[in-house]
């Protein structure tokens, strides 16, 4: 090495989690042992906007490109050995998963993985063990798998068709209860929920126009979930009933997904679980009644941890392949012809496609 040589920075692995409530990126040394909490090395953490859903599908590739640009500005010349992205709606709303690979590789990653958020949640919550995981945020989906040949899904059909027990489901039911109270319909009333909804959304007459035309409607509905949780803690019977039903629905989805051939191991992860016992107690009770053989364990980590585990497995698969690729849940691109010294660079979905065709 001459006096003019500059030593190469350590290689990193990058994980991205893109969802309906926002996006997160973390970059850590490729050969470190730490997670996303900064216990080893110095993680680089960034946040981004939620995905938007239109008639053309999800704009997840744009979200990842924006985060890649931000990372290039934050740490110029960062070398990326591998990158993995966890994305909501991959089975149904992402029109071209290949575009996500293009963005990651145009940004400098040599090996890339694109996983459904349910799989990343599974890998984070069960640490690479087979079983079933309920991922419960803005939406709700259960994935049960042996990580090889058996894959079973329950729910995850979006806030109009399913996502039972999710943030959008809880928020929507809270608003329905508020409207029923406003109308004076028979049945339990919730002045607490009505007051909270009026404070957040204004007069009831404006709610349809404020909600129905929004592309981020599920996120807006989920934003009312904290108000439902607060009302429940204050003793509101209607709010407590909504949260009880949410936990029950999640248990029923877990039981439905745990088909023969999948070990009877389960976990639940996501922001809704942070509400606490109002959701988790009925979840445990209903799952125990439906499937007494199932062991429900605390989640080891988050979907971002799962994406990071997946990215690391592309670099150092010491225990063999972490999970077999699957057309629906996971696609992988092996190391490309890029130089091992490739650095992350600003990119966009448009430039990504051009670079990969060159």
């Amino acid at each position: 090495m001459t006096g003019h040589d500059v030593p190469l920075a350590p290689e990193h692995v990058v994980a991205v989690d893109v969802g309906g409530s926002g996006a997160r990126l973390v970059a850590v040394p490729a050969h470190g042992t730490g997670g996303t909490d900064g216990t080893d090395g110095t993680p680089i953490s960034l946040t981004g906007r939620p995905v938007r859903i239109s008639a053309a599908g999800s704009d997840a590739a744009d979200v990842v490109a924006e985060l890649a640009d931000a990372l290039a500005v934050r740490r110029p010349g960062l070398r990326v050995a591998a990158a993995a992205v966890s994305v909501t709606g991959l089975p149904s709303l992402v029109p071209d998963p290949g575009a996500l690979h293009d963005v990651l590789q145009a940004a400098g990653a040599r090996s890339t993985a694109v996983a459904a958020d349910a799989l990343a949640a599974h890998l984070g919550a069960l640490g690479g063990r087979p079983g079933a995981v309920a991922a419960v945020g803005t939406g709700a989906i259960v994935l049960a798998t042996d990580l090889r040949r058996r894959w079973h899904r329950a729910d995850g059909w979006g806030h109009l068709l399913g996502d039972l027990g999710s943030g959008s489901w809880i928020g929507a039911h809270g608003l329905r209860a508020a409207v029923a109270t406003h109308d004076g319909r028979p049945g339990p009333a919730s002045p607490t929920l009505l007051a909270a909804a009026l404070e957040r959304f204004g007069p009831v007459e404006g709610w349809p126009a404020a909600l129905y035309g929004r592309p981020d409607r599920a996120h807006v509905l989920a934003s009312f979930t904290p108000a439902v949780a607060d009302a429940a803690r204050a003793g509101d019977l209607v709010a407590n009933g909504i949260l009880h039903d949410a936990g029950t629905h999640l248990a029923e989805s877990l039981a439905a997904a745990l088909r023969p051939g999948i070990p009877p191991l389960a976990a639940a992860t996501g922001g809704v679980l942070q509400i606490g016992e109002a959701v988790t107690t009925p979840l445990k009770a209903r799952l125990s009644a439906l499937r007494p053989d199932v062991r429900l364990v605390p989640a080891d980590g988050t979907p971002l941890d799962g994406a990071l585990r997946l990215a690391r497995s592309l670099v150092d698969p010491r225990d063999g392949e972490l999970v077999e690729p699957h057309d629906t849940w996971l696609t992988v691109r092996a190391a490309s012809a890029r130089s091992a010294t490739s650095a992350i660079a600003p990119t966009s979905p448009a430039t990504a496609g051009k670079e990969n065709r060159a």
Side-chain angles (χ1 to χ4, degrees):
M1 177 179 290
T2 70
H4 298 289
D5 291 328
V6 177
L8 291 173
E11 285 193 323
H12 281 62
V13 292
V14 172
V16 188
D17 179 37
V18 181
S21 298
R24 297 180 298 161
L25 177 150
V26 65
V28 301
H31 302 292
T33 58
T36 58
D37 58 356
T39 55
D40 181 49
T42 305
I44 305 164
S45 298
L46 300 170
T47 58
R49 64 173 176 84
V51 293
R52 301 188 184 106
I53 307 299
S54 68
S58 166
D59 70 342
D62 293 327
V63 176
V64 174
E66 291 163 13
L67 283 169
D69 287 348
L71 181 59
V73 171
R74 173 84 168 268
R75 191 65 64 87
L78 185 75
R79 297 191 304 144
V80 181
V85 58
S86 156
V87 59
T88 186
L90 184 59
S92 53
L93 295 175
V94 177
D96 179 15
L100 289 159
H101 285 286
D102 291 342
V103 169
L104 294 171
Q105 293 195 330
R110 297 197 310 280
S111 296
T112 57
V114 175
D117 58 343
L119 176 56
H122 196 290
L123 296 174
L126 290 183
R129 294 173 290 174
V133 170
V136 196
T138 299
I141 186 171
V142 173
L143 177 63
T145 177
D146 63 357
L147 303 176
R148 292 293 179 266
R149 293 175 177 81
R150 294 182 172 87
W151 301 81
H152 300 291
R153 162 189 182 170
D155 210 346
W157 302 118
H159 69 285
L160 294 178
L161 299 177
D163 285 354
L164 305 182
S166 69
S168 61
W169 184 93
I170 292 170
H173 278 70
L175 289 174
R176 290 189 183 108
V179 169
T181 302
H182 170 270
D183 291 348
R185 286 179 243 156
S190 178
T192 302
L193 288 177
L194 177 58
L198 289 171
E199 181 179 355
R200 183 170 186 82
F201 297 106
V204 175
E205 292 76 13
W207 296 0
L211 288 171
Y212 290 164
R214 294 188 61 144
D216 60 345
R217 183 170 57 241
H219 176 62
V220 176
L221 292 171
S223 72
F224 194 59
T225 293
V228 178
D230 288 344
R233 294 186 191 102
D236 187 279
L237 296 179
V238 174
N240 269 294
I242 291 170
L243 298 181
H244 179 278
D245 290 348
T248 298
H249 283 308
L250 296 173
E252 290 171 351
S253 293
L254 279 167
L258 277 166
R259 307 282 182 85
I262 307 296
L265 180 68
T269 184
V272 167
L273 281 303
Q274 295 176 10
I275 293 173
E277 292 182 355
V279 173
T280 59
T281 296
L283 189 163
K284 294 173 183 176
R286 183 60 173 158
L287 184 59
S288 179
L290 292 172
R291 289 291 303 269
D293 60 314
V294 173
R295 183 164 64 101
L296 185 65
V297 299
D300 285 344
T302 68
L304 187 61
D305 292 312
L308 186 58
R309 181 183 294 272
L310 188 57
R312 281 189 168 135
S313 76
L314 299 177
V315 177
D316 187 15
R318 280 177 283 186
D319 298 323
E321 193 173 52
L322 178 63
V323 51
E324 285 190 8
H326 186 280
D327 288 344
T328 299
W329 303 105
L330 173 67
T331 57
V332 174
R333 282 188 187 172
S336 70
R338 285 179 186 274
S339 162
T341 61
S342 291
I344 194 161
T347 187
S348 69
T351 59
K354 292 176 183 177
E355 288 193 22
N356 276 271
R357 290 193 295 271

